């Protein structure tokens, strides 16, 4: 086995052993806080032996994805500190909320919004006891989670939302954790192509991290069943520079090797993003830039119980939710949970509830914390849309029926002026599933093009990397892109045939729920409306 020192020296950007110990301590603390939220109601720092009355009456939550999310968060934090980055996080496995909450607590973001969640024993206890109880934090991400622009309550939309956040945001990198179960969905499959629309001159970048822990609720995932060679072929075909990271093991040495591999992959990925952007912004745009993707393989439920009742837990679908669910009535299960919790070595992580300074030093500070990214609070940074006087576009008709014109044809002229008046601010986009021309909105192309960053043919109309219209034949992508664009403070329009709009009906419901709950949270300011233009009549589509 390679020593940690030798492995560190082999990396392009060596991870010093002191920093390694701090990163691992941070990760262990986040893992403990994530697991404890699922199980405990008091004795939250294990100051006495665990007893049935310390366990929540009803155990709700998902443990399996938590350690992987924490591992990603740990190493994204390192990138932010190392390069003083502006980064935001979109978490696809929204049921991994205990992980996000644990990290937001450690970095100090939660206390900015919830003053009781401070770095004290009382703060730790409050964080843990309020999870998945009435009036507390739900088991999924929600608008009350600082930094959240995507709940993940319905899987498949994280990646498109992440890309929507970086359009016209040249300094932003959005990290997006995609679960391998989520990656089986159609919306995620099409969203991988979003890089082909990304303009590295005026847009930011997305760093996707596909977390492959191998299992869904009760069966293997498609991506978990694929070999590294197959994954490499697939994502190379999509156009990505692929970084496969294996993270596993229980011993300090094994964990160290996992941290080294992840640190190296993340640094290489970041450098490739900056290289693509630097070259494009200095007149040397690549024809087919290979944006990075990290494929992280780690055991489901990593660092949790190995077995329960003789059945494998870690690395199995059985760790997806609550590994040992009847701790109040089953002493053997209670013992398993206590042994698991104490394996994180709490005295080395907390002193009377205060996380130790070594692990806290791994967190970014101020608005560099992902939970405090200004981009995640679009209502607070939103600027008004410049709008022309619509009366200038009135159709002169002396009597009804005396003029024959199409509604959308006239609207196109108005939208053309909207684009022109907001071009300098980069504050407005149209996302459409290949229907601008068929919906008679062609006047828009007198002011802009369709944005497409990969090569096009000479006979293609109105296509360039600089457009303000993005068309792709995926209603899910259009909706996800627009949601990400709106929630980071901008304005947009989604034209779609009425017959095809029901494809995103479920997404619309999810977004409506997000807005409804946001309206009940004082620090969530209103964002711009999601505007649908529904054309055609019901199922009739004879040229609209």
């Amino acid at each position: 086995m390679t020593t940690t020192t030798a492995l560190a020296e082999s990396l392009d950007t060596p991870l010093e052993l002191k920093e390694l110990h701090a990163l691992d301590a941070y990760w262990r603390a986040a893992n403990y806080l994530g697991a404890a939220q699922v199980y405990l109601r008091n004795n939250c720092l294990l100051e006495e032996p665990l007893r049935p009355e310390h366990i929540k009456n009803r155990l709700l939550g998902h443990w399996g994805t938590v350690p992987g999310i924490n591992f990603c968060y740990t190493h994204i934090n390192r990138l932010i500190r190392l390069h003083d980055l502006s980064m935001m996080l979109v978490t696809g496995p929204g049921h991994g909320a205990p992980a996000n909450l644990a990290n937001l607590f450690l970095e100090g973001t939660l206390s900015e919004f919830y003053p009781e969640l401070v770095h004290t024993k009382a703060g730790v206890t409050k964080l843990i006891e309020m999870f998945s109880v009435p009036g507390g934090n739900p088991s999924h991400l929600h608008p009350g989670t600082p930094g959240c622009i995507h709940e993940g309550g319905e899987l498949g939309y994280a990646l498109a939302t992440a890309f929507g956040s970086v359009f016209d945001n040249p300094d932003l990198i959005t990290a997006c954790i995609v679960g391998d179960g989520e990656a089986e969905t159609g919306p995620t499959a099409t969203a991988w192509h979003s890089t082909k629309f990304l303009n590295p001159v005026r847009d930011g970048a997305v760093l996707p991290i596909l977390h492959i822990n191998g299992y869904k609720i009760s069966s293997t995932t498609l991506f978990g069943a694929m070999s590294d060679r197959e994954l490499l072929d697939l994502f190379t075909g999509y156009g990505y520079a692929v970084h496969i990271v294996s993270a596993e093991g229980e011993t300090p040495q094994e964990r160290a090797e996992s941290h080294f591999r992840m640190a190296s992959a993340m640094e290489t990925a970041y450098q490739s993003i900056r290289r693509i952007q630097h070259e494009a912004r200095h007149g040397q745009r690549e024809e087919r830039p290979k944006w990075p993707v990290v494929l992280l393989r780690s055991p489901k439920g990593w660092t949790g119980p190995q077995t329960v009742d003789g059945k494998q837990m870690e690395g199995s679908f059985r760790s997806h939710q609550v590994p040992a669910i009847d701790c109040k009535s089953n002493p053997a299960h209670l013992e398993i949970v206590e042994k698991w919790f104490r394996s994180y070595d709490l005295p080395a992580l907390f002193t009377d509830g205060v996380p130790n300074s070594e692990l806290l030093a791994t967190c970014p500070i101020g608005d560099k914390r992902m939970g405090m990214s200004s981009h995640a609070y679009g209502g607070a940074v939103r600027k008004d849309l410049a709008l022309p006087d619509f009366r200038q576009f009135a159709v002169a008709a002396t009597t009804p029926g005396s003029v024959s014109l199409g509604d959308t044809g006239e609207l196109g002229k108005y939208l053309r002026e909207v684009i022109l008046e907001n071009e300098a601010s980069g504050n407005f986009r149209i996302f459409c599933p290949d229907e601008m021309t068929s919906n008679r909105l062609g006047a828009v192309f007198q002011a802009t093009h369709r944005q497409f960053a990969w090569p096009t043919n000479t006979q293609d109309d109105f296509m360039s990397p600089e457009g303000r219209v993005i068309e792709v034949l995926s209603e899910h992508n259009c909706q996800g892109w627009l949601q990400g664009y709106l929630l980071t403070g901008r304005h947009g329009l989604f034209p779609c045939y009425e017959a095809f709009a029901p494809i995103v009906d479920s997404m619309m419901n999810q977004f409506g729920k997000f807005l409804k709950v946001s309206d009940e949270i004082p620090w969530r300011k209103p964002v711009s409306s999601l505007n649908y233009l529904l054309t055609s009549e019901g199922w009739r589509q004879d040229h609209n």
Side-chain angles (χ1 to χ4, degrees):
M1 180 177 292
T2 306
T3 66
T4 55
T5 302
L7 187 56
E9 291 172 350
S10 72
L11 298 180
D12 293 335
T13 303
L15 181 60
E16 294 183 359
L17 295 183
K18 181 179 179 181
E19 185 184 11
L20 163 69
H21 295 147
L23 291 174
D24 193 62
Y26 176 91
W27 179 56
R28 297 198 325 270
N31 285 344
Y32 172 73
L33 292 175
Q37 286 177 76
V38 175
Y39 280 91
L40 300 183
R41 60 188 301 189
N42 50 44
N43 189 24
C44 294
L45 289 165
L46 302 187
E47 294 172 302
E48 57 182 291
L50 202 57
R51 299 194 301 271
E53 58 265 31
H54 299 149
I55 304 296
K56 285 185 168 82
N57 291 325
R58 187 181 183 196
L59 301 183
L60 295 172
H62 294 69
W63 158 249
T65 190
V66 165
I69 294 174
N70 289 339
F71 194 73
C72 295
Y73 210 108
T74 301
H75 285 273
I76 299 169
N77 276 349
R78 179 176 183 268
L79 268 190
I80 294 171
R81 287 187 299 99
L82 199 61
H83 300 287
D84 193 30
L85 301 181
S86 173
M87 290 191 73
M88 189 172 68
L89 177 65
V90 172
T91 306
H95 53 259
N100 293 71
L101 291 167
N103 287 281
L104 292 168
F105 175 81
L106 289 172
E107 73 182 22
T109 290
L110 279 184
S111 63
E112 302 266 2
F113 299 89
Y114 305 99
E116 67 274 24
L117 298 180
V118 292
H119 289 164
T120 63
K121 184 164 74 172
V124 171
T125 298
K126 186 66 175 176
L127 170 74
I128 291 171
E129 70 180 11
M130 71 186 293
F131 177 76
S132 207
V133 298
N137 286 315
S139 61
H140 275 72
L141 296 177
H142 74 124
T145 309
C148 173
I149 67 165
H150 173 74
E151 297 193 14
E154 182 182 3
L155 297 178
Y157 313 128
L159 194 57
T161 302
F163 275 97
S165 74
V166 303
F167 289 125
D168 300 314
N169 260 336
D171 297 325
L172 175 65
I173 299 177
T174 296
C176 182
I177 301 173
V178 180
D180 54 349
E182 175 184 17
E184 296 181 1
T185 64
T188 301
T190 57
W192 291 115
H193 293 287
S194 298
T195 53
K196 298 177 177 68
F197 299 86
L198 205 62
N199 180 346
V201 175
R202 70 179 185 191
D203 298 330
V206 172
L207 176 55
I209 304 173
L210 175 58
H211 180 210
I212 305 171
N213 61 26
Y215 292 95
K216 299 170 290 207
I217 291 177
S218 59
S219 62
T220 190
T221 63
L222 297 177
F223 287 85
M226 295 172 71
S227 68
D228 284 359
R229 180 74 252 177
E230 291 164 336
L231 290 168
L232 181 64
D233 289 346
L234 175 65
F235 283 93
T236 300
Y238 276 139
Y240 286 91
V242 186
H243 305 275
I244 300 177
V245 178
S246 175
E248 59 186 347
E250 307 300 323
T251 68
Q253 174 74 19
E254 291 168 329
R255 295 199 309 269
E257 293 178 3
S258 297
H259 284 297
F260 283 133
R261 287 190 289 266
M262 188 64 169
S264 180
M266 294 289 282
E267 177 63 21
T268 303
Y270 167 73
Q271 293 297 341
S272 65
I273 288 172
R274 287 302 189 231
R275 178 190 56 77
I276 292 169
Q277 292 177 333
H278 177 81
E279 291 178 358
R281 293 170 188 180
H282 288 80
Q284 298 178 324
R285 188 197 309 268
E286 283 186 64
E287 186 177 68
R288 300 172 186 270
K290 289 190 173 295
W291 296 93
V293 62
V294 175
L295 310 184
L296 171 64
R297 285 192 185 273
S298 71
K300 198 173 188 78
W302 188 16
T303 72
Q306 293 290 316
T307 61
V308 175
D309 296 335
K311 295 181 179 179
Q312 184 177 343
M313 286 289 141
E314 183 183 287
S316 159
F317 68 87
R318 298 183 185 90
S319 65
H320 183 82
Q321 293 178 311
V322 183
I325 201 164
D326 56 350
C327 299
K328 293 180 80 70
S329 59
N330 187 324
H333 285 190
L334 184 66
E335 183 180 353
I336 287 172
V337 170
E338 179 167 17
K339 181 179 178 182
W340 165 21
F341 284 8
R342 293 193 184 279
S343 72
Y344 295 116
D345 190 13
L346 298 190
L349 305 177
F350 300 92
T351 302
D352 197 29
V354 180
N356 75 37
S357 57
E358 178 189 37
L359 70 88
L360 289 181
T362 69
C363 298
I365 59 175
D367 61 4
K368 297 297 183 180
R369 294 171 289 179
M370 286 190 283
M372 294 301 295
S373 169
S374 61
H375 299 283
Y377 305 98
V381 299
R382 181 174 65 102
K383 299 177 181 178
D384 289 340
L385 190 64
L387 295 174
D389 184 352
F390 68 90
R391 288 168 293 195
Q392 298 175 18
F393 302 88
V395 175
T398 55
T399 59
S402 62
V403 177
S404 179
L405 291 170
D407 295 342
T408 53
E410 298 305 302
L411 176 63
K413 300 173 185 177
Y414 176 77
L415 292 174
R416 175 192 63 206
E417 300 306 312
V418 173
I419 288 172
L420 288 173
E421 292 198 21
N422 293 277
E423 179 65 30
S425 64
N427 201 22
F428 178 76
R429 281 186 179 267
I430 298 175
F431 300 91
C432 183
D434 190 36
E435 293 158 8
M436 290 291 290
T437 302
S438 64
N439 277 319
R440 307 295 190 260
L441 295 170
V444 163
F445 296 122
Q446 297 169 12
T448 190
H449 287 168
R450 301 176 177 93
Q451 178 165 316
F452 191 69
W454 273 34
T456 57
N457 295 313
T458 55
Q459 72 270 21
D460 292 330
D461 286 336
F462 311 120
M463 297 187 73
S464 78
E466 281 78 33
R468 301 221 62 79
V469 174
I470 302 189
E471 286 193 293
V472 66
L473 200 49
S474 167
E475 288 80 3
H476 292 113
N477 257 19
C478 291
Q479 171 92 18
W481 283 339
L482 183 51
Q483 287 181 190
Y485 199 67
L486 298 179
L487 287 168
T488 48
R490 282 74 65 73
H491 305 255
L493 175 68
F494 181 3
C496 184
Y497 295 155
E498 185 179 358
F500 295 162
I503 292 173
V504 296
D505 177 69
S506 183
M507 291 182 75
M508 183 188 72
N509 288 334
Q510 291 282 321
F511 189 61
K513 180 181 70 172
F514 189 95
L515 295 179
K516 187 258 184 190
V517 177
S518 295
D519 194 46
E520 301 167 358
I521 298 170
W523 43 267
R524 286 279 183 185
K525 307 303 180 186
V527 296
S528 307
S529 59
L530 197 159
N531 302 298
Y532 297 94
L533 172 62
L534 300 184
T535 61
S536 76
E537 297 177 358
W539 300 107
R540 180 177 174 179
Q541 291 186 58
D542 50 353
H543 298 291
N544 317 316

